[in-house]
Amino acid sequence: MSRKIYVEQVTRTPVEEQQIELVERKGVGHPDSLADGMADAISRELCRAYMKEFGVVLHHNTDQVEVVGGKAEVDFGRGEVVKPIYVLLSGRATMIAGDRVVPVHRIAMKAARDYLSRTLRNINVEGDVILDSRIGQGSTDLIDVFTRSKEMPLANDTSFGVGFAPLSDVERLCYTVERELNSDAFKERYPESGEDIKVMGLREGDRIVLTISVAMIARKVPDIDHYISVVDDIKEEVERIASGITEREVEVNLNTGDDYERKAVYLTATGTSAEMGDDGSVGRGNRVNGLITPNRHMSMEAAAGKNPVNHVGKIYNLLAPRIAQQVAEEVAGVKEVYVRLLSQIGRPIDQPRAASVQLILEEGTSLSSIQQDVHSIVDENLANIRRITELFIKGELTTF
Amino acid sequence: MSRKIYVEQVTRTPVEEQQIELVERKGVGHPDSLADGMADAISRELCRAYMKEFGVVLHHNTDQVEVVGGKAEVDFGRGEVVKPIYVLLSGRATMIAGDRVVPVHRIAMKAARDYLSRTLRNINVEGDVILDSRIGQGSTDLIDVFTRSKEMPLANDTSFGVGFAPLSDVERLCYTVERELNSDAFKERYPESGEDIKVMGLREGDRIVLTISVAMIARKVPDIDHYISVVDDIKEEVERIASGITEREVEVNLNTGDDYERKAVYLTATGTSAEMGDDGSVGRGNRVNGLITPNRHMSMEAAAGKNPVNHVGKIYNLLAPRIAQQVAEEVAGVKEVYVRLLSQIGRPIDQPRAASVQLILEEGTSLSSIQQDVHSIVDENLANIRRITELFIKGELTTF
Amino acid sequence: MSRKIYVEQVTRTPVEEQQIELVERKGVGHPDSLADGMADAISRELCRAYMKEFGVVLHHNTDQVEVVGGKAEVDFGRGEVVKPIYVLLSGRATMIAGDRVVPVHRIAMKAARDYLSRTLRNINVEGDVILDSRIGQGSTDLIDVFTRSKEMPLANDTSFGVGFAPLSDVERLCYTVERELNSDAFKERYPESGEDIKVMGLREGDRIVLTISVAMIARKVPDIDHYISVVDDIKEEVERIASGITEREVEVNLNTGDDYERKAVYLTATGTSAEMGDDGSVGRGNRVNGLITPNRHMSMEAAAGKNPVNHVGKIYNLLAPRIAQQVAEEVAGVKEVYVRLLSQIGRPIDQPRAASVQLILEEGTSLSSIQQDVHSIVDENLANIRRITELFIKGELTTF
Amino acid sequence: MSRKIYVEQVTRTPVEEQQIELVERKGVGHPDSLADGMADAISRELCRAYMKEFGVVLHHNTDQVEVVGGKAEVDFGRGEVVKPIYVLLSGRATMIAGDRVVPVHRIAMKAARDYLSRTLRNINVEGDVILDSRIGQGSTDLIDVFTRSKEMPLANDTSFGVGFAPLSDVERLCYTVERELNSDAFKERYPESGEDIKVMGLREGDRIVLTISVAMIARKVPDIDHYISVVDDIKEEVERIASGITEREVEVNLNTGDDYERKAVYLTATGTSAEMGDDGSVGRGNRVNGLITPNRHMSMEAAAGKNPVNHVGKIYNLLAPRIAQQVAEEVAGVKEVYVRLLSQIGRPIDQPRAASVQLILEEGTSLSSIQQDVHSIVDENLANIRRITELFIKGELTTF
């Protein structure tokens, strides 16, 4: 059956040419990102356990993780979590299949705990976090769907995924700055910086303002002078990073809420604001491409934690940006490309109800001259859609 | 100080002229909507309590409600929740101000409970729901901001709100169908229908397909024949509603997952899928205009539960669509209007960092001829921004 | 099969003749008693529901209720619970029998809620209490035991019950004073007094000291003078009650922790110390006869919440004091009587492994002259043991 | 001030001469013992942390731990916890003193986790247990009491402790058998045996029946034959132990609920019945001497988790049996000795309101001849009462 692939040209002022552009990236230590990350880690580990035990991935959706902020006492040179962060895992997963039992809670709790330890360099998960699990047993009817492993899975829902390419200057800036500031190399140089980093980029015409907040590790900041010098250094680092990404003028603001006079600055014990009352939950942070982009189409779908086998809300949102990127890179004359994949419940996932590609073309490029190339890229990606599942399980794709 | 208002014309294929359009509305009984609804009910009641006690609204953000699905046993003619839905309230609120105490948990729990009772006609909140509260004490520093009631509040964050107008056919269809099906009048005629109604609209060219799911109340459906007849009747009702909204061809699918052969149909005890394992949380459902619209710009902001005084993530998302609608209604020659309001932390909320209006104009209309009118509408709405706070507290605005 | 009933005479200094005697009664509003009361209310309502649905009582043991103290803000004239009391229901109960479903959580939560409302006149259960349920499904193997309703149930465990009679002066004093102070008549006269009343009686020789604490209702106590006058009045009431019970000298101390100077007195919003951080759990308070009596034999068994059909830890502890009392009342020459009933798992409950009666006789009474009478009382009570089950379900027996 | 010490002779049939005697010991893996053990571990670690930070022990009572049973799937050769055991820590502890912060939750959670790991050789605490903490901040008023470290602490309550000596045959049997069966040496020989061991001893005349249940580790029991052979071996071991303790005839019953025919035997994944729905809480198991002895006076006090500085419910219950034992060992002519220590709130703990010693003397011994010796032992022990606190913190005293 040939796939329903629509390639159309649209007129639209490209984002880079719009006067105002706004982009945001919540770093991996932000409470919403922590929720996403735990949800995905749980799904990934469940996949692996199911594969090992049954040869196939069984039904699960662990796309509900709630992070309830705790309470910390911090001061220059010291920080303690006095009321732990409370993390509630929920969602569904197959716990019993035939006469075999899958220790879902154990896997989930271990995955969440490991994820937090790995992500937050300064947390003591055992003491600073209460990990509760109310994950339920998946509906048994749904097991069938999964055990016929050779066949193409059927879409679990009527849903859609979106993606676009290429990234604008501000988008690349927000993404890259956070990734750099949370890299191991950077943390070695600036152990004072925690992982709860938020980067907001605003472009007005050709002027970009980056507003960044970085949670500092109180224990490693002995006094206000030290704090100020670290903030200044990080600012310079960001300016350096920015100059490698865009030629536009970039203004960097860091921890603008600080009040040096009153010594009221952004100190944490663990590197995440979740310790001080900030809550987080799955699906409220970055989209699958790692960004929040109100100038672009977005899906509201919370991809993190959903199973990567038949949950189109996850798979299509992972696939669409990849298709868009490939089109942008491989097809000449494309200024911007927007991809939407629409599923229909019960159809094979490689057969979306509609795969829509909207192209903004460069002057001089005609739709007809490239339509076939774009079509092929979409078709091929859909044919190989199960590769998304594999890559996710391998840990090579992220959803936030 | 004059406001930073940008009015620009953009070229863009209007949504109604795009080939494919997708819209979704989660009904008030959907677990995500229940979470949103409780969050807003709590904020509203806290506002009222603070006003009564202090004359001003104190700091709070109760934008975290997690609904963990329960377990129900249903069959034709009967239904029981055997494992209650678990609802976790979190977020922050001022509990002690000066020497006066605000019973935040009591207010929040009552508000959540009342909201559920009011919204789900067939639930027994006391027995079917476990209501837990981990709401924390708000940061005391933040109290100051709120007590200077005469002045314009300062934005709590750097954030933004978006809105657009007018609604497309599919958007109006999705919204109206759910509102009708959940109206008192409809429920009187169809007591078999629960409030967890999901409407998904897909337009391909001029053909619209509405895919609707309606949770039925098992107790009121004695057998499969009764079920089928109710489904058929509701389908007809929807077709009737649709014909009053659009002239396009509309196909209606209802509860397509049903299998009449095996008598596996969509029955519930309470009218919401939360009873059977579906989870929900704030900010994962409808946007402030009641819709999910991947063809449009959207904010990721979870508006529900945020305080309506200085939380721009709420206020600007409530205000932007109102501005858009007023422009679309009052200014001739506007095909589509997109409004974005950008805040800057610490600035008065009536002084956004940027208020951006993008217009798609009808042929023959020039930007210059209407620019001033649009500017005035934006300016006036910003000047009266505190009206949003009032309307929300009065219960005249919804966020989902 | 004749029952194994042992009647022996023991020499022992009767309690009334011992130099020092200590007795305690925790009133119905004490956190431990609240836990016991909810546990029993739940068991009672489950019994009724099972009877109604199946004609027999199905397996359950809801003998685990944990009360985690909240936080309240009180002052003369006003009181608010600012952090609710958290109540965790656990234990086991049959939720599904055949194809019929019992809404165990609903029944349990309603029973607990109703019990609290009924017991604490000044609580607002909906706002002041978070009620959580982690009750589990009972082991299905155990269902069999219960459905053979005509036959004598088999003991669920190897356990025992104890009882004694008659009560000493101090025992009657402690019991009666609390019952009076928590009576409706008293509360009408002293609405200032809450239900968390603890009575400790110490007898040294012929001198009795009652140390009583009474939680006062802050809202009803406008100032320190009012407080002092209520304390004085209640003290007088207790003295009056005491003079009707014993001829010994009785000293009454009330709320001895108060410090009038600093106005630090025992005020509460709800009438129970659970609001201010005092926790409670099942089985840590009064024994089945309503008292804690270190001068006597006691069972450690937590009777509250256990099923009244085959749980000997409940039934034997309810029956033993009744047998003792009957012996003390009907058999002349008995100074003190101690009854112990020993079960053996799997034996019919009317056939204990051993029913032991220890008698302290008055001078001049010989064991042989009364042995048969005592034996008959025991035998008859065992033959009618199922009456205990009935009376409990009817609400005519308490366990604390 | 001279201490109020009463030494009296009582007539009472000594326990060994009574016809029927019942004793129980819940092993360290029993859910109630686990609750006690965690409570004490938490108190002990808090003491150490307070000492280290402040030089004195600050106020705390962590005597509320609730163990809610999970769900496990076991069969010969394999066992998995599919629903984790849920452990709720509550109680109170000082979290902030002056400007210093004590990470109470972290300490408590670590102590509980370590205790479980140490006690249950086959549990995976991270995956099989959900550890939740609702420990509250202790009343700040109480901090004063503790910081005056040089002085004798004042009793926190009007309460009492009891103790007796010597142990009877059955008492020593129950205690010793469990201790042996849970020793490292035994576990090395019988890795199939878990720690949830319950020993119930019944003496009728000179015949003793020990009824023992031992949770077996499913993973280490490949089949029913292996199971049977282990049960037989353990039975023999117990008989051997018993013969070294008493000359009376001892019958040993082990896991009498097993049904070999149906292969329904006592298998567990973790070695505790808490994994299969059995709940536990503090204070419902063994008394401070490690036994439940309905033939003896007992305190209802839950000693575990209470602070060892001024909580007489703990200290007096630890001290009383030590005094009794010393009297029994050092004073000739004493058959049985019962000690009760009565506190009075606000009095120094070395000055009980009454220290009562009841003696059952051997024929030929007169009270007057030994009264002074007994008095001295009591007096000296009271003078050195703070030694109890030290020993507890060192980990040399247990309360269950």
Side-chain angles (χ1 to χ4, degrees), chain A residues 309-320:
Chain A
V309 172
N310 78 340
H311 207 306
V312 282
K314 178 171 211 148
I315 304 166
Y316 282 10
N317 273 306
L318 282 165
L319 185 59

Side-chain angles (χ1 to χ4, degrees), chain B residues 158-183:
Chain B
T158 297
S159 178
F160 59 91
V162 303
F164 61 86
L167 294 189
S168 71
D169 272 15
V170 189
E171 288 162 350
R172 276 181 300 129
L173 262 178
C174 289
Y175 188 83
T176 311
V177 165
E178 187 272 342
R179 294 287 65 209
E180 286 282 315
L181 265 52
N182 270 331
S183 68

Side-chain angles (χ1 to χ4, degrees), chain B residues 64-259:
Chain B
Q64 297 279 351
V65 173
E66 178 77 19
V67 175
V68 179
K71 212 166 159 182
E73 290 279 335
V74 293
D75 203 346
F76 292 106
R78 64 185 184 74
E80 292 275 17
V81 173
V82 293
K83 187 181 160 192
I85 299 163
Y86 173 82
V87 174
L88 177 63
L89 314 178
S90 56
R92 311 289 123 189
T94 306
M95 295 179 182
I96 300 182
D99 66 340
R100 278 180 295 177
V101 171
V102 186
V104 164
H105 295 285
R106 176 186 299 192
I107 292 166
M109 287 166 68
K110 185 170 176 357
R113 192 178 281 120
D114 288 353
Y115 181 80
L116 288 178
S117 294
R118 215 160 53 225
T119 305
L120 299 170
R121 293 165 180 84
N122 293 283
I123 206 166
N124 170 337
V125 177
E126 309 228 324
D128 297 343
V129 179
I130 290 173
L131 205 54
D132 199 355
S133 166
R134 291 190 185 239
I135 297 174
Q137 163 74 9
S139 167
T140 40
D141 272 18
L142 292 167
I143 293 176
D144 280 0
V145 183
F146 284 77
T147 45
R148 291 166 295 174
S149 76
K150 292 286 178 289
E151 298 166 34
M152 185 61 62
L154 307 180
N156 79 314
D157 204 352
T158 297
S159 178
F160 59 91
V162 303
F164 61 86
L167 294 189
S168 71
D169 272 15
V170 189
E171 288 162 350
R172 276 181 300 129
L173 262 178
C174 289
Y175 188 83
T176 311
V177 165
E178 187 272 342
R179 294 287 65 209
E180 286 282 315
L181 265 52
N182 270 331
S183 68
D184 284 337
F186 188 87
K187 292 305 187 206
E188 242 172 71
R189 292 207 309 284
Y190 298 96
E192 298 92 342
S193 68
E195 290 81 4
D196 193 345
I197 291 175
K198 195 167 134 181
V199 185
M200 184 166 265
L202 169 65
R203 181 175 57 73
E204 291 172 293
D206 272 338
R207 197 162 170 282
I208 297 173
V209 181
L210 287 184
T211 304
I212 303 174
S213 67
V214 178
M216 299 292 179
I217 305 297
R219 220 170 44 257
K220 300 185 176 164
V221 179
D223 51 39
I224 184 75
D225 290 341
H226 190 103
Y227 183 91
I228 294 172
S229 95
V230 170
V231 165
D232 288 347
D233 290 356
I234 295 180
K235 233 172 99 170
E236 270 176 45
E237 297 265 4
V238 172
E239 283 159 0
R240 195 185 44 72
I241 297 166
S243 70
I245 290 174
T246 181
E247 294 184 354
R248 286 169 166 135
E249 179 196 352
V250 178
E251 178 190 326
V252 178
N253 296 320
L254 197 75
N255 289 3
T256 49
D258 288 348
D259 181 340

Side-chain angles (χ1 to χ4, degrees), chain D residues 248-398:
Chain D
R248 284 169 166 136
E249 179 195 352
V250 178
E251 178 190 326
V252 178
N253 297 320
L254 197 76
N255 289 3
T256 49
D258 288 348
D259 180 340
Y260 292 162
E261 203 74 20
R262 292 174 47 223
K263 298 194 182 175
V265 297
Y266 191 1
L267 293 179
T268 63
T270 60
T272 175
S273 60
E275 70 173 40
M276 300 189 301
D278 277 10
D279 301 333
S281 47
V282 172
R284 279 174 58 166
N286 306 324
R287 300 300 84 197
V288 166
N289 65 353
L291 296 167
I292 300 172
T293 53
N295 289 59
R296 309 274 200 174
H297 298 167
M298 290 188 288
S299 158
M300 291 309 303
E301 194 77 47
K306 295 197 155 71
N307 86 66
V309 172
N310 78 340
H311 207 307
V312 281
K314 178 170 210 149
I315 303 165
Y316 282 11
N317 273 304
L318 282 165
L319 185 59
R322 289 168 70 92
I323 294 176
Q325 199 182 344
Q326 196 178 341
V327 169
E329 285 171 2
E330 300 183 1
V331 182
V334 170
K335 254 189 176 164
E336 280 186 4
V337 50
Y338 292 87
V339 175
R340 281 177 302 165
L341 303 174
L342 274 51
S343 73
Q344 187 171 12
I345 188 168
R347 279 171 76 116
I349 59 171
D350 68 332
Q351 293 280 357
R353 178 172 182 114
S356 151
V357 181
Q358 296 185 319
L359 299 166
I360 303 177
L361 299 179
E362 286 176 11
E363 208 126 333
T365 303
S366 73
L367 181 62
S368 59
S369 71
I370 60 166
Q371 206 159 11
Q372 189 47 49
D373 290 350
V374 174
H375 191 285
S376 297
I377 290 174
V378 177
D379 199 49
E380 199 186 296
N381 271 280
L382 284 169
N384 293 319
I385 192 165
R386 302 192 73 178
R387 181 104 182 94
I388 293 292
T389 308
E390 285 165 33
L391 287 173
F392 174 78
I393 296 176
K394 274 196 191 160
E396 293 176 16
L397 295 180
T398 58

Side-chain angles (χ1 to χ4, degrees), chain A residues 154-189:
Chain A
L154 307 179
N156 79 315
D157 204 352
T158 297
S159 179
F160 59 90
V162 303
F164 62 85
L167 294 188
S168 71
D169 271 15
V170 189
E171 288 162 349
R172 278 181 299 129
L173 262 178
C174 289
Y175 188 83
T176 311
V177 165
E178 187 272 342
R179 291 291 63 208
E180 287 281 315
L181 265 51
N182 271 328
S183 67
D184 284 338
F186 189 88
K187 293 307 186 204
E188 243 172 72
R189 291 205 310 283

Side-chain angles (χ1 to χ4, degrees), chain D residues 2-20:
Chain D
S2 79
R3 296 190 173 87
K4 283 197 167 177
I5 299 171
Y6 303 85
V7 180
E8 63 178 320
Q9 178 174 5
V10 292
T11 59
R12 185 179 300 168
T13 311
V15 164
E16 290 282 27
E17 294 168 27
Q18 293 176 25
Q19 187 154 11
I20 290 203

Side-chain angles (χ1 to χ4, degrees), chain A residues 36 52 58 82 123 246:
Chain A
D36 282 342
K52 198 177 149 192
L58 298 187
V82 292
I123 206 167
T246 183

